[in-house]
Amino acid sequence: MESELSRRTFIQQVGTTLAATPLMFSKTYAASDVVNLAVVGTGGRGTSLLKRLAEVGGARVVAVCDLDPERLNKAAHLVEQRHPVQSYADHRKLLENKDINAVIVATPDHWHTPIALSALLAGKDVYVEKPCSHNIQEANLLVKCAREHNRCVQHGTQRRSSAVDMAGVRALQEGLIGDVYVAKAINHQLRGKIGKAPAEAAPAGVNYDLWLGAAPLRAFTRNRWHYNWHWFWEYGGGDFVNDGIHQLDVAVWGLGLDLQYPQEVVTSGGQLWYDDDHETPDTQTVIYAYPGKQIVYEMRLWTDYKLEGHDNGTIFYGTKGKMEIGRGGAVATTLDGKVTAIRPADYGIQAEDILTNFVAAVRQGDPLKLNSPIDRGAVSTNLCHLGSIGVRCGGIKLAYDPKTATISSAAEANRANALIVREYRKGYELPYSS
Ligand SMILES: NC(=O)c1ccc[n+]([C@@H]2O[C@H](COP(=O)([O-])OP(=O)(O)OC[C@H]3O[C@@H](n4cnc5c(N)ncnc54)[C@H](O)[C@@H]3O)[C@@H](O)[C@H]2O)c1
């Protein structure tokens, strides 16, 4: 891993906005103080984070929030086994609570940036699940707001907090497989069909208008609801941002391409198999071309056989061999036939998990301590958005200019640029703008 000093120097050099940001610490905690946390969105992910937070020292969950009363009660019950907790059905009310220091956002994607921005404006640090945004403009706003307020914003790309991934990236940087020019991010798994769900009344007690938030008013269906919302463009971004983002993020990190955008994004994909309510693709191949390097993303959701041995994984191809980082750890195979399992201890790496790392950074009031800071998370998120925009425009080649935040060359430039932003339903406008 890069040293803290080199990372600070690097970050100070990137972008005029950041260079202008004073490196002062927002708030520090005495050893006896705890960070008061709130978890917003207590579905599958929110619940799993709640369980893990019980093991994290220096912090305590003081509030949980969900607009589904059944889920809210379950989450509150889980925490109450350890200590009292406040329950909120509306995050806007929760954010008024000045005793809450940091907010964990684990709602559907279309709520990530609006809640994260409101939390920052309310003076709180934020852990926001991946993808940090529903679109490119939102990710950029989140980075800007976090810098302006000098707050910790951790992005839920937890592979950057994995000791074995850190060691793999270190081994790549040290040249174990020679010069590395290409990485492949593999997302190859069966994501079943969801059928066609009829319109029905939203479950009793649920604030469905709030669930929809900025998205257009639609009749409730079981597919436009818990978990399956991932497959609708108005709320999610398909499996690219659901799972592929992790493999892509490792590819970017391992190739040393953090905070950079490619010169060109070549896209192809669509629905070859789904014939149900899914709007998002089941098949996607995207090539990100950087000066002298290339990332290939391959996604197929209609099979559970593995691609080059991986359902989820990232493979780096170098002049002296290849390295695979996936469920089996980090393994290098070099031209001499030697297979090396990379061990964190050999690199002196002792990682802390993503939540422990977040709490430690918050306690020190230092965003530079984060393993997955929002500026890096936003670029990984936006790379996924670009790949999906290309596919939604018919499988086009495009380029994104981060200075103007526009897609600068594409067969369907107008259509592509329209997908960088979204409309906000009245009453659910973003609380912060550029
Ligand atoms: N980092 C990871 O590995 C990882 C793993 C799984 C999920 N995730 C992310 O976590 C997020 C949640 O995923 P999930 O599978 O738990 O979804 P889910 O639909 O099961 O849960 C989301 C919960 O948020 C609630 N909610 C919606 N809008 C809300 C609002 N405005 N205020 C309060 N609660 C609200 C819903 O009622 C629901 O209970 C997604 O963005 C997903 O990408 C990350």
Side-chain angles (χ1 to χ4, degrees):
M1 294 296 293
E2 62 208 330
S3 70
E4 189 185 324
L5 185 63
S6 69
R7 181 159 151 191
R8 277 173 193 269
T9 312
F10 176 63
I11 290 178
Q12 280 174 302
Q13 286 165 350
V14 175
T16 47
T17 317
L18 186 56
T21 303
L23 281 178
M24 58 179 191
F25 296 165
S26 46
K27 167 178 164 60
T28 50
Y29 291 73
S32 56
D33 293 344
V34 290
V35 180
N36 288 332
L37 297 173
V39 174
V40 180
T42 58
R45 182 59 174 173
T47 303
S48 122
L49 292 173
L50 271 176
K51 288 179 182 161
R52 280 162 49 192
L53 281 165
E55 314 298 323
V56 177
R60 156 184 292 231
V61 175
V62 296
V64 285
C65 173
D66 203 297
L67 48 77
D68 179 342
E70 201 179 313
R71 287 188 158 188
L72 180 60
N73 289 341
K74 267 194 197 150
H77 181 67
L78 189 69
V79 183
E80 275 160 3
Q81 290 168 1
R82 306 192 296 269
H83 53 75
V85 68
Q86 283 181 284
S87 293
Y88 291 86
D90 190 321
H91 66 270
R92 294 166 293 194
K93 207 77 204 138
L94 176 146
L95 293 176
E96 289 172 9
N97 182 340
K98 296 211 177 339
D99 293 335
I100 294 170
N101 308 119
V103 175
I104 291 177
V105 185
T107 60
D109 304 355
H110 66 297
W111 262 117
H112 286 183
T113 301
I115 295 177
L117 288 174
S118 300
L120 286 170
L121 296 175
K124 302 178 193 315
D125 294 292
V126 175
Y127 171 108
V128 60
E129 263 310 339
K130 56 79 207 160
C132 64
S133 72
H134 180 261
N135 57 56
I136 291 175
Q137 184 194 50
E138 287 184 352
N140 294 342
L141 283 176
L142 198 45
V143 173
K144 186 167 177 283
C145 189
R147 284 175 185 162
E148 265 176 29
H149 293 262
N150 198 33
R151 285 279 161 201
C152 292
V153 182
Q154 178 91 298
H155 186 239
T157 33
Q158 66 268 18
R159 300 281 298 273
R160 289 184 190 243
S161 295
S162 145
V164 77
D165 288 27
M166 286 177 176
V169 171
R170 176 81 67 79
L172 287 172
Q173 289 165 348
E174 290 181 359
L176 182 63
I177 60 164
D179 297 327
V180 186
Y181 294 110
V182 174
K184 188 190 282 186
I186 295 170
N187 180 8
H188 213 262
Q189 56 188 310
L190 184 62
R191 291 271 188 213
K193 296 184 180 182
I194 57 173
K196 298 191 183 198
E200 58 180 288
V206 160
N207 186 346
Y208 185 55
D209 191 83
L210 183 60
W211 189 95
L212 285 170
L217 268 186
R218 302 266 179 231
F220 177 92
T221 80
R222 288 282 155 187
N223 278 342
R224 289 177 176 272
W225 184 228
H226 293 334
Y227 191 76
N228 278 351
W229 55 262
H230 278 101
W231 322 130
F232 292 83
W233 292 118
E234 286 172 353
Y235 324 120
D239 215 52
F240 206 159
V241 287
N242 186 37
D243 205 348
I245 189 168
H246 291 298
Q247 296 94 55
L248 186 73
D249 186 56
V250 172
V252 168
W253 178 31
L255 285 181
L257 295 171
D258 271 338
L259 301 175
Q260 295 179 47
Y261 281 92
Q263 293 164 308
E264 201 168 75
V265 184
V266 183
T267 69
S268 172
Q271 293 188 348
L272 306 189
W273 182 62
Y274 290 145
D275 53 4
D276 53 12
D277 278 344
H278 268 95
E279 293 178 351
T280 52
D282 57 37
T283 307
Q284 212 163 352
T285 306
V286 181
I287 300 170
Y288 299 92
Y290 295 81
K293 289 183 185 171
Q294 200 179 71
I295 295 175
V296 183
Y297 173 71
E298 287 196 42
M299 179 183 95
R300 281 156 222 152
L301 303 179
W302 30 260
T303 176
D304 53 6
Y305 72 78
K306 295 179 176 172
L307 180 63
E308 293 184 53
H310 297 272
D311 53 355
N312 291 159
T314 308
I315 307 182
F316 295 89
Y317 303 88
T319 49
K320 294 183 183 161
K322 67 174 180 176
M323 184 185 293
E324 301 169 63
I325 301 185
R327 293 191 199 278
V331 180
T333 309
T334 37
L335 285 178
D336 54 9
K338 194 170 160 204
V339 178
T340 310
I342 309 296
R343 296 185 318 168
D346 293 343
Y347 294 86
I349 291 173
Q350 278 185 315
E352 45 190 14
D353 72 83
I354 190 166
L355 291 170
T356 306
N357 171 251
F358 173 62
V359 168
V362 169
R363 290 185 68 81
Q364 291 169 58
D366 188 356
L368 296 177
K369 292 264 189 267
L370 296 167
N371 287 342
S372 302
I374 190 59
D375 50 359
R376 293 167 194 232
V379 174
S380 290
T381 296
N382 283 347
L383 291 177
C384 298
H385 290 323
L386 286 171
S388 293
I389 289 172
V391 166
R392 292 176 78 182
C393 291
I396 55 169
K397 187 159 81 174
L398 53 86
Y400 173 72
D401 180 353
K403 289 199 186 75
T404 57
T406 52
I407 290 177
S408 50
S409 71
E412 300 251 11
N414 287 344
R415 198 168 152 211
N417 276 303
L419 294 171
I420 283 180
V421 296
R422 64 169 160 153
E423 304 258 316
Y424 293 84
R425 194 155 61 91
K426 200 163 163 17
Y428 291 104
E429 294 86 0
L430 285 180
Y432 174 87
S433 59
S434 53

